[in-house]
Amino acid sequence: MKISVLKRIIIYCKPYNRFFVLAMISAMIQISLTLYGPILIGQAVDAMIAYHNVDYISIIKTLCFLSATIVGAMIFQWIMTYCIHKLTYCTTQDVRVAVYRKINHMPLKYLDSHAHGDLISRIVNDTDQVADGILQGFTQFFTGIVTIVGTIMFMLSVSPFITLLVVFITPLSLFVAAFLAKLSHKMFVKQQLIQGQLSGYIEELIGNQKVVKVFCYEKRAFQKFEILNEELRICGQKAQFYSALANPSTRFVNGIVYAAVAVIGSVCAITGSPVSLTIGGITSFLTYANQYTKPFNEVTGVITQIQTAFASAQRLFHVLDQQAEPLDAPDAITMTGCKGQVSIEHLYFSYRPEMRLIEDFNLQVNPGDRIAIVGPTGSGKSTLINLLMRFYDASEGRISIDGIPITQITRNSLRNQFGMVLQDTWLHHGTIRDNIAYGKSGAKDEEIVTAAKSAFAHDFIMQQPNGYDTVISENGGNLSQGQKQLLCIARVMLVCPPMLILDEATSSIDTRTELKVQAAFQNLMKGRTSFIVAHRLSTIQNATTILVMENGKVIEQGNHEVLLARNGFYAKLYQSQFANM
Ligand code: ATP
Ligand code: MG
């Protein structure tokens, strides 16, 4: 599992291979230069042969050489750091792009059923963790290992006997570290999971503050938040505690190694057995003993960080592994300016196999027709629209536009044929101008104003503090519901699509705005095939065809007069809702 995660990270690093190679070379040179230092120091010590017997010339030479190695090591370390940062941040940028793209091509089914905050947390936090992992993995883990190997080689060149001593005691610290790393890894995985849950929860709360306040849910919301927060604290604390234990434990083992080298080295130097060693040799060795164990600390120190990175990478790859919307058929055509003839034949669809919804649905729509869809809540009105737009694909039957099955049309061009104004208006943070121009990049100012005028939005826009340049908050928090809808209508007006999908607002808006919205809708529908999830009597009465839906089926179909005459479901609905108006 982990290997494949590592492999996939490496694949993402591939375009930046050259930085990796350069970093490796620089690291090797830097480490070799650093490791050569103790040998030089040992030589300098040995040049002080006895009291009043010092070989100054060779000491000065050695010291010059030592300075050069230190400066060289510094330069190469700088190059290594630069390369590795470049590699890390370019790679994580790519990963972020990949996840973002993936989310854009994700079937709505996935997005509808996953907490959005969790996805956000994956893109923002988890990529950061992966970046940290790569960075630490290289700067500490890789250089640590190379230092260990290098030190062993240099030590062997001084005294194989004492080298063996060092090499045999040190693995102890590895065992200790591995044990603690295992404990903390579990906690790190859990920590990421809860972090995602917490982000999801908070995102939901912030988005729905009004609802929270209306139902006085603050207290209960806080309780749930506290539970998650407490769990997060426990996980984080345990994870950090175990990983923090690793360092002192390995340090303790290192202390023993250092003492052993000092004692045994001195015995060798004084007695010449079991091997002979100079004072300079001991000096070199003590430095090596220190340098040899330090990377163990670093390696064990970053193991947890690398583990967190793996956990995060797993969560990212999980998103990347979701099946994307199936690609457009290879021979799919790009539709432009359709006439607006729609036919639906024997359509079957359900969100979940065990819950049947739309069954054997049939409908013929001529260009310019207005189809009003009415029916109780949950009857499948929005579902029908999801199918028309190919947000979901039907399991059987087919929908065609101008005689072409929609599966044979590229999704983008299909969706371009429709203008959509929904109940829950969607506006983004930006100026009113940008919001209207959302569907048409590079729209001219006059076009935007014309669209706003025909949507009856121009007047209220001009009353805003900065007119078209007024910045509206995310989801238009500073506009009324009716105004938001007018902006959405203007947005569609600007694009001029041949067909429309409208979901009339049920929320009551003030009568004047309501009249404007209605007039704007009328303007919009002129000459366009329109599907309207209808709540207004006028829309329903003026429709070419009224579809009365119940439990995913069309139970009645016809115009207002015909359906009233039938005296069925529609007639009852009409009498209960509209007759007294
Ligand atoms: P309303 O008037 O309340 O908007 P509707 O007629 O638009 O209702 P739909 O949204 O089409 O109703 O829902 C039809 C059925 O499908 C409902 O029973 C609903 O629970 C179910 N449903 C809707 N969306 C999903 C989804 N994403 N996943 C699973 N089931 C869903
Ligand atoms: Mg609906």
Side-chain angles (χ1 to χ4, degrees):
M1 187 69 194
K2 265 197 203 148
I3 292 296
S4 74
V5 172
L6 182 63
K7 252 193 206 156
R8 294 180 69 172
I9 295 178
I10 291 174
I11 291 174
Y12 274 100
C13 293
K14 239 183 187 156
Y16 309 101
N17 260 346
R18 56 188 188 285
F19 291 109
F20 183 71
V21 172
L22 199 56
M24 290 243 280
I25 295 172
S26 311
M28 304 257 199
I29 298 176
Q30 181 247 325
I31 291 166
S32 313
L33 288 176
T34 312
L35 289 182
Y36 194 48
I39 300 255
L40 291 174
I41 292 173
Q43 281 171 7
V45 169
D46 282 339
M48 297 181 259
I49 301 153
Y51 191 55
H52 281 315
N53 185 2
V54 176
D55 183 354
Y56 283 107
I57 294 180
S58 88
I59 287 186
I60 289 172
K61 248 203 231 156
T62 314
L63 288 186
C64 286
F65 207 39
L66 185 64
S67 312
T69 58
I70 291 172
V71 172
M74 192 186 72
I75 292 172
F76 280 101
Q77 180 161 28
W78 185 84
I79 298 175
M80 179 199 86
T81 312
Y82 173 80
C83 290
I84 212 66
H85 278 106
K86 187 97 185 166
L87 169 81
T88 304
Y89 290 105
C90 289
T91 306
T92 39
Q93 184 182 29
D94 290 354
V95 173
R96 240 180 253 130
V97 168
V99 179
Y100 182 85
R101 286 234 172 97
K102 186 77 199 192
I103 287 178
N104 268 327
H105 290 109
M106 205 78 111
L108 273 152
K109 198 170 165 179
Y110 181 85
L111 299 178
D112 279 349
S113 56
H114 283 79
H116 295 172
D118 185 47
L119 281 173
I120 296 170
S121 168
R122 287 178 196 221
I123 302 182
V124 180
N125 298 336
D126 286 319
T127 41
D128 248 11
Q129 295 291 355
V130 174
D132 263 0
I134 300 178
L135 200 64
Q136 303 296 344
F138 193 89
T139 50
Q140 314 256 14
F141 197 80
F142 173 75
T143 58
I145 305 265
V146 175
T147 309
I148 292 170
V149 175
T151 316
I152 292 180
M153 291 190 333
F154 275 94
M155 284 196 296
L156 281 175
S157 77
V158 182
S159 165
F161 171 69
I162 300 190
T163 308
L164 285 182
L165 188 80
V166 175
V167 171
F168 277 111
I169 309 181
T170 328
L172 259 184
S173 65
L174 275 188
F175 282 122
V176 177
F179 173 71
L180 290 170
K182 216 177 193 175
L183 278 183
S184 56
H185 174 63
K186 261 209 298 231
M187 289 295 143
F188 275 116
V189 174
K190 203 166 161 199
Q191 192 185 11
Q192 286 306 104
L193 187 82
I194 298 175
Q195 235 164 35
Q197 282 176 358
L198 194 64
S199 306
Y201 185 65
I202 292 176
E203 197 251 3
E204 224 172 77
L205 273 191
I206 293 177
N208 299 306
Q209 259 309 300
K210 277 186 197 147
V211 186
V212 173
K213 291 211 158 69
V214 166
F215 287 100
C216 300
Y217 192 76
E218 289 102 329
K219 218 170 161 186
R220 277 171 292 161
F222 185 67
Q223 280 166 359
K224 192 169 165 201
F225 166 79
E226 267 199 316
I227 294 174
L228 281 174
N229 199 19
E230 174 70 7
E231 272 186 67
L232 190 60
R233 177 190 69 79
I234 294 173
C235 287
Q237 205 176 319
K238 279 191 186 163
Q240 287 303 338
F241 178 69
Y242 290 139
S243 62
L245 269 188
N247 214 327
S249 321
T250 47
R251 239 170 241 245
F252 175 69
V253 179
N254 300 345
I256 296 178
V257 175
Y258 195 78
V261 170
V263 172
I264 297 174
S266 310
V267 170
C268 292
I270 296 166
T271 63
S273 76
V275 289
S276 68
L277 196 66
T278 62
I279 304 289
I282 300 180
T283 318
S284 307
F285 243 102
L286 283 178
T287 321
Y288 280 133
N290 229 355
Q291 265 181 8
Y292 176 67
T293 46
K294 219 171 72 191
F296 279 96
N297 289 340
E298 278 165 10
V299 168
T300 52
V302 297
I303 281 177
T304 46
Q305 208 147 16
I306 293 174
Q307 282 175 328
T308 318
F310 270 120
S312 287
Q314 244 166 29
R315 283 160 51 80
L316 284 171
F317 290 141
H318 179 78
V319 177
L320 288 172
D321 287 343
Q322 291 305 313
Q323 206 167 16
E325 257 185 343
L327 288 177
D328 289 324
D331 52 345
I333 61 155
T334 308
M335 182 168 250
T336 46
C338 69
K339 291 203 286 290
Q341 189 269 330
V342 179
S343 76
I344 301 178
E345 295 154 86
H346 306 292
L347 197 70
Y348 286 79
F349 172 78
S350 72
Y351 290 101
R352 280 168 283 139
E354 73 277 7
M355 203 192 76
R356 292 171 12 176
L357 192 61
I358 289 186
E359 290 188 319
D360 200 17
F361 187 100
N362 293 286
L363 180 70
Q364 293 298 327
V365 183
N366 294 319
D369 274 3
R370 289 184 192 181
I371 310 297
I373 310 166
V374 298
T377 184
S379 56
K381 305 183 292 290
S382 301
T383 307
L384 187 61
I385 285 166
N386 283 340
L387 292 173
L388 274 174
M389 296 287 269
R390 277 194 82 191
F391 291 143
Y392 289 80
D393 273 328
S395 39
E396 256 180 77
R398 72 174 184 182
I399 303 176
S400 351
I401 293 175
D402 290 2
I404 307 164
I406 57 172
T407 46
Q408 295 298 314
I409 304 171
T410 62
R411 277 195 189 74
N412 275 344
S413 71
L414 170 74
R415 288 170 191 163
N416 268 337
Q417 305 306 306
F418 288 100
M420 210 165 163
V421 183
L422 294 184
Q423 229 169 328
D424 36 350
T425 47
W426 186 76
L427 297 167
H428 64 95
H429 178 88
T431 62
I432 289 183
R433 189 191 311 280
D434 291 344
N435 267 286
I436 296 180
Y438 191 76
K440 187 173 178 179
S441 60
K444 291 194 198 75
D445 277 357
E446 307 91 75
E447 291 179 285
I448 292 174
V449 174
T450 315
K453 277 185 178 157
S454 41
F456 298 99
H458 181 72
D459 289 346
F460 95 81
I461 295 174
M462 292 316 282
Q463 282 163 16
Q464 299 297 311
N466 294 315
Y468 281 85
D469 293 314
T470 309
V471 173
I472 52 178
S473 63
E474 189 201 350
N475 240 337
N478 42 357
L479 294 176
S480 81
Q481 190 61 38
Q483 289 170 337
K484 284 195 252 180
Q485 205 153 28
L486 290 181
L487 280 189
C488 290
I489 295 173
R491 176 146 85 191
V492 175
M493 283 280 189
L494 182 69
V495 184
C496 269
M499 293 188 287
L500 288 175
I501 288 175
L502 308 175
D503 203 336
E504 288 182 337
T506 40
S507 56
S508 49
I509 47 184
D510 69 274
T511 9
R512 255 190 56 212
T513 320
E514 161 76 23
L515 286 175
K516 277 189 186 166
V517 172
Q518 278 198 40
F521 269 133
Q522 291 302 328
N523 259 352
L524 193 59
M525 288 188 290
K526 255 178 224 150
R528 297 192 170 108
T529 305
S530 324
F531 295 86
I532 314 135
V533 175
H535 298 282
R536 292 194 191 93
L537 181 60
S538 59
T539 321
I540 301 173
Q541 276 176 331
N542 292 332
T544 331
T545 308
I546 303 169
L547 291 183
V548 186
M549 293 192 67
E550 198 184 25
N551 299 329
K553 284 187 205 61
V554 176
I555 49 171
E556 288 173 22
Q557 190 169 339
N559 66 20
H560 179 66
E561 286 74 29
V562 171
L563 290 186
L564 268 194
R566 263 181 73 167
N567 205 15
F569 189 92
Y570 176 77
K572 276 202 213 99
L573 190 80
Y574 175 73
Q575 264 131 31
S576 67
Q577 283 191 14
F578 302 116
N580 50 3
M581 279 168 81

